Amino acid sequence: MSIFLTPIFTAVRQAAALCQLVQQKYIVADQQSSIAEKLDAEPVTLADYGSQALICRAISQTFPDDGVIAEEGAQQFRELILEPHQQEVAQLIGTILQTSVTVEDVITWLDYGQNRDEKRQWVIDPIDGTKGFIALRNYAIAIGLLNQGKPVAGVMGTPGYAAIDGGAIFYAQDSKVYRESLKGGTAQAIVPSQRTDPASLIFVESVEKSHASHDTMAEVREMAGMESAQVHRLDSQEKYCLVACGDADVYLRLPRSGSTYQHRIWDHAAGVAIVEAAGGIVSDVDGSVLDFSQGSTLARNKGMVVANPLIHSKLVEATSKINF
Ligand code: AMP
Ligand code: MG
């Protein structure tokens, strides 16, 4: 593992441990009090804040001059999370780090590095797929690094990754991608599949109907002559990792007709870095690269087509004919 990413890697493991603690203590025990709703009606949990604080703490210690663009923030933590739960987040982080942590520490870490005009920006989704996390399905702890608006490195923890007991951690840097057990062990280099036979293909897509149009994705499979492919639905950016390592061949994320939703960069930065470094291809529905230089959203792109390099163009041929 590169020395450069090691502190981030450690923080992702710590964040995954914290998420699992919150899941056992609150979610499995059905204590809905640990879940709040943000202004855009997206759910947020104590674990989202704990995870982001741990990751930003690592960035503040190791890359103090870099900028950060992250999904959560201190103001919402103060406003949405009850005081005893704020204390609980500090305590959970303290348990993981084996040191004493205050609510003020958490608040400082949560906003670390934000609104800085630096060419290197860490893009953080502390829990991607919060709906999956709450429903005990898949979720990801996703950290991408942008250099002058381009995703150049990524680390993603995927505690629900099915092929490795205890989940996996994927990381990309310098055109190489590795996967290892979240519990520790040896890293394995990964590459996308080279499958092209429609009957052997595996597509992955969102579980949530409101996040992508299941019907349009079925239509595209038909247009591309790939209707005999299998389709698996799972939450979070883990879908990018599945294409990067060849467990799946295609990840489609196609907007529902008339949708004006702008994708958030933290939902894609780590995933794009991982797929591209592995040799897979990522584009929007027109075949253009995703433009991460437009602030916190992918304002210039519609949807995502992520695939192994042998079939990507065939899919874009289909998606570019659809009027989204
Ligand atoms: P997934 O689990 O792949 O469906 O993606 C989860 C992410 O979808 C969340 O982090 C949200 O930021 C994002 N999301 C929320 N609403 C929408 C929407 N209408 N269209 C696309 N993505 C959305
Ligand atoms: Mg997300």
Side-chain angles (χ1 to χ4, degrees):
M1 131 120 300
S2 92
I3 291 166
F4 169 63
L5 284 178
T6 303
I8 305 301
F9 205 70
T10 304
V12 168
R13 283 218 157 94
Q14 291 166 341
L18 182 139
C19 290
Q20 281 158 347
L21 278 179
V22 171
Q23 232 170 15
Q24 283 150 20
K25 197 162 170 188
Y26 290 95
I27 315 273
V28 175
D30 199 22
Q31 292 194 27
Q32 294 294 317
S33 63
S34 68
I35 304 166
E37 194 169 275
K38 293 193 274 191
L39 292 177
D40 59 1
E42 284 292 307
V44 64
T45 73
L46 302 190
D48 293 67
Y49 293 110
S51 171
Q52 180 162 318
L54 277 165
I55 294 160
C56 291
R57 171 184 170 271
I59 291 169
S60 75
Q61 290 177 345
T62 331
F63 307 108
D65 299 329
D66 291 350
V68 172
I69 302 172
E71 175 161 19
E72 314 304 342
Q75 194 190 339
Q76 283 194 340
F77 177 68
R78 279 206 178 97
E79 288 170 2
L80 295 179
I81 305 297
L82 302 170
E83 163 69 25
H85 279 152
Q86 295 181 6
Q87 297 285 357
E88 172 73 355
V89 172
Q91 234 168 46
L92 284 162
I93 297 174
T95 307
I96 304 279
L97 296 176
Q98 299 191 310
T99 181
S100 143
V101 170
T102 66
V103 169
E104 276 315 306
D105 291 331
V106 177
I107 285 171
T108 307
W109 291 329
L110 277 174
D111 275 354
Y112 188 83
Q114 303 223 5
N115 300 314
R116 280 195 195 159
D117 189 21
E118 298 296 337
K119 73 176 193 195
R120 273 173 39 130
Q121 298 282 341
W122 294 91
V123 180
I124 304 169
D125 196 339
I127 298 189
D128 179 38
T130 306
K131 289 170 187 159
F133 174 72
I134 293 167
L136 305 178
R137 301 189 307 244
N138 299 67
Y139 64 98
I141 297 147
I143 303 164
L145 176 63
L146 299 183
N147 192 353
Q148 296 188 306
K150 299 227 158 53
V152 292
V155 181
M156 202 184 312
T158 53
Y161 177 67
I164 297 181
D165 183 38
I169 185 162
F170 292 82
Y171 56 97
Q173 191 188 344
D174 300 335
S175 306
K176 287 203 181 67
V177 186
Y178 300 90
R179 172 185 58 198
E180 66 179 74
S181 166
L182 203 46
K183 290 182 183 161
T186 342
Q188 210 189 355
I190 55 167
V191 287
S193 82
Q194 299 203 331
R195 288 183 288 260
T196 55
D197 171 21
S200 72
L201 296 178
I202 298 173
F203 279 62
V204 283
E205 61 187 34
S206 286
V207 175
E208 301 290 336
K209 281 203 247 331
S210 60
H211 294 179
S213 167
H214 291 166
D215 291 346
T216 312
M217 294 179 302
E219 191 185 332
V220 164
R221 277 190 293 278
E222 214 173 295
M223 288 164 77
M226 297 175 184
E227 62 273 37
S228 54
Q230 286 181 53
V231 182
H232 297 174
R233 289 191 180 143
L234 76 158
D235 306 278
S236 88
Q237 276 177 76
E238 183 177 328
K239 294 188 277 294
Y240 280 102
C241 295
L242 297 181
V243 173
C245 74
D247 285 3
D249 305 284
V250 187
Y251 163 27
L252 291 180
R253 188 179 193 90
L254 305 182
R256 295 189 305 165
S257 111
S259 168
T260 53
Y261 181 84
Q262 291 191 353
H263 288 89
R264 313 290 191 249
I265 59 170
W266 47 78
D267 286 330
H268 302 278
V272 170
I274 287 170
V275 168
E276 291 187 341
I281 301 186
V282 182
S283 74
D284 67 5
V285 295
D286 300 326
S288 308
V289 294
L290 303 187
D291 180 353
F292 285 89
S293 68
Q294 302 298 306
S296 63
T297 68
L298 295 166
R300 299 220 167 127
N301 302 103
K302 264 201 183 287
M304 286 87 203
V305 179
V306 183
N308 85 36
L310 302 183
I311 55 176
H312 183 269
S313 58
K314 189 143 200 198
L315 289 153
V316 169
E317 211 177 290
T319 54
S320 58
K321 286 190 189 125
I322 293 179
N323 194 9
F324 287 100

